[in-house]
Amino acid sequence: ASWLGISLGIPTMGVAKRSLLKETGMPPEKAGSALPLIRAGKLVGHVVRTQTGIRPLYVSAGHLISQQQALQLALQLRGRYRIIEPLRRADQAARQYAKGLSLPQAVVLQ
């Protein structure tokens, strides 16, 4: 996320299904709950519950965005599924492309 943001000069954030860091806890089970990820005294991201009772996501700032903005955006972009909606749709399109199927029509937001 950071490299793409720097290359294109746009704000980016990272969202992952699994943490690359050793977890220190989990947020409450309720959707919208978040737990800060602190390493060496510095906030490096959040563990975010997008759905009640479902495994959380790991959200971090990328480029031109703060940790708090990344957290707020992830919560705003959550839908009916665990994965935030833009990533879910990108994953679906990539799977279709890999199967040799045509890609869905893209909508570019400005």
Side-chain angles (χ1 to χ4, degrees):
S2 294
W3 176 84
L4 182 63
I6 291 168
S7 297
L8 298 177
I10 59 173
T12 57
M13 61 189 254
V15 179
K17 294 178 187 177
R18 290 182 299 258
S19 176
L20 296 175
L21 306 171
K22 184 176 179 183
E23 297 175 25
T24 58
M26 285 287 154
E29 292 290 318
K30 185 179 177 190
S33 300
L35 182 70
L37 282 173
I38 309 288
R39 291 296 178 262
K42 183 178 177 186
L43 177 65
V44 296
H46 289 87
V47 183
V48 181
R49 192 88 60 182
T50 57
Q51 298 291 316
T52 298
I54 302 296
R55 289 181 298 150
L57 294 177
Y58 299 85
V59 176
S60 62
H63 181 63
L64 298 177
I65 190 171
S66 70
Q67 296 292 357
Q68 192 61 35
Q69 288 170 320
L71 171 62
Q72 290 172 350
L73 191 55
L75 291 173
Q76 289 172 358
L77 293 174
R78 63 192 170 119
R80 294 179 49 207
Y81 303 96
R82 174 181 175 225
I83 306 303
I84 62 174
E85 197 59 25
L87 290 180
R88 193 178 80 78
R89 289 186 184 188
D91 183 61
Q92 288 174 336
R95 289 175 193 271
Q96 280 187 312
Y97 182 77
K99 291 178 182 177
L101 302 174
S102 62
L103 293 175
Q105 292 295 323
V107 176
V108 177
L109 302 176
Q110 304 235 355

